[in-house]
Amino acid sequence: MEIDGKTAYRRTDPGSCRVWLPVTQTFAVRLQSDDACPTLHPYAEAAVELLTNRPDDAVNAEPSDRFIACSLLALALDDPSVAAVEELESLDICSTPTGGKFEVEYEPRPAMGREIAGTPVAVHRDGDSCSVGWVLSSAPIRTPSAPTSVMTGTVTSWDGCEAAEELAGQVIGTTGTERLRAPDVSAVRGLLYVAAESDTAAVGACREIEDPESHVCLPAGRAEAPGAGRELIREGEADPDLVCAAAGPIVREQLGTPWRPVTQTVLPATTPEEIAEAPTQCTFVGNDGEVFEVALSTKPLGASDSELAGHSASTDVDLLLGRAGYVVAWHGAEEPGTLTITSSMSRLVEDEGLTSALVTRFLG
């Protein structure tokens, strides 16, 4: 979709809506709501306006204090073990070791009814949970649905209002004496893609990949693959762009042009160490969400039960998932090497010419 001339992606699920504003090939600003998409759209429009016309406000808003929920909560409790709720990729929500929660939000000014530590607060009980909210500062974002929004802090406890008020008092005391200063950095301009530009953000075909973030999914880059055998196996194991470059012409010829190549790790990876060690592959994504996966490895094959294009192969069939795959051995030298091809069972059965052509291209 397009928002004020900028490229955006929208995904609607039952009971929720997400909008991404692509910034780079690996980073996008995400807005998420548990309401229908029309409720979220004004916030997306406000984010586009802010990042396009007032990027300085996004970096050094007035007053220039940056409330980062986990840092602030750890300071208030003198406990570094607090962690982001459910590992959400957000700076503005954090949980305590005892199950409480502190969240920083942009909302309309709450109706105050009490005071804690000299600060007006709003207390709301909902069953076993209790929330205490107060104003942290003025907010740099205005939206049609919240034209007078403020930056609020909200503490929630599932142990009742006494526990929530105690935690709120600790956080309020901290924000009044040791505010966290914003980093002294310059705003980045030209963040968002205009609709006429070529969008290289990772959202595209990677949206069809299950859990694209932890599988480090990216559009395939341009590369020139070496010839078959030792060099291609060794370099292709480390660089899935080479695998896409070698397999691309064959896949397009056999399956048609709509198949889009992306690269991803085979195993979920979140830390830099996991990403560096995770095996990688090239995945071709069809218009209907079907995927066709190709990977190279310098590991030996092990046991074989069949043969493909003159090379020993091992088959792997998963009837439950409706998928099948081949691991094919290269015997061209003393160094081991394998080619792995995985897709739906019907795709592999119907396209024996495709698998044979891929084996010949990679293994010779």
Side-chain angles (χ1 to χ4, degrees), residues 178-202:
E178 298 186 63
R179 290 190 162 189
L180 302 177
R181 301 293 296 180
D184 185 17
V185 296
S186 300
V188 178
R189 301 180 184 277
L191 282 174
L192 305 180
Y193 291 95
V194 299
E197 282 185 290
S198 176
D199 177 14
T200 58

Side-chain angles (χ1 to χ4, degrees), residues 9 14 21 36 39 50 85 87 112 121 124 143 158 172 186 195 199 206-207 248 333 351 360:
Y9 293 90
L21 304 173
T39 303
L50 177 71
V85 172
E87 298 183 354
M112 306 300 185
V121 300
H124 176 70
T143 71
W158 284 265
I172 290 171
S186 300
D199 177 14
C206 287
R207 290 183 59 185
D351 295 292
T360 300

Side-chain angles (χ1 to χ4, degrees), residues 233 237 295-308 310-316 325-341 359 363:
I233 293 170
E237 180 184 40
L296 288 171
S297 173
T298 54
K299 296 180 181 179
L301 172 64
S304 63
D305 55 24
S306 59
E307 185 176 290
L308 271 176
H311 296 268
S312 298
S314 173
T315 57
D316 179 19
Y326 297 111
V327 181
V328 190
W330 176 62
H331 295 298
E334 65 280 0
E335 298 172 359
T338 57
L339 168 70
T340 300
I341 305 170
V359 170
L363 305 181

Side-chain angles (χ1 to χ4, degrees), residues 93-119:
I93 183 170
C94 196
S95 64
T96 70
T98 57
K101 183 177 72 173
F102 173 55
E103 189 168 5
V104 178
E105 300 176 282
Y106 298 114
E107 293 184 328
R109 184 179 297 273
M112 306 300 185
R114 297 190 45 198
E115 278 195 4
I116 294 179
T119 298

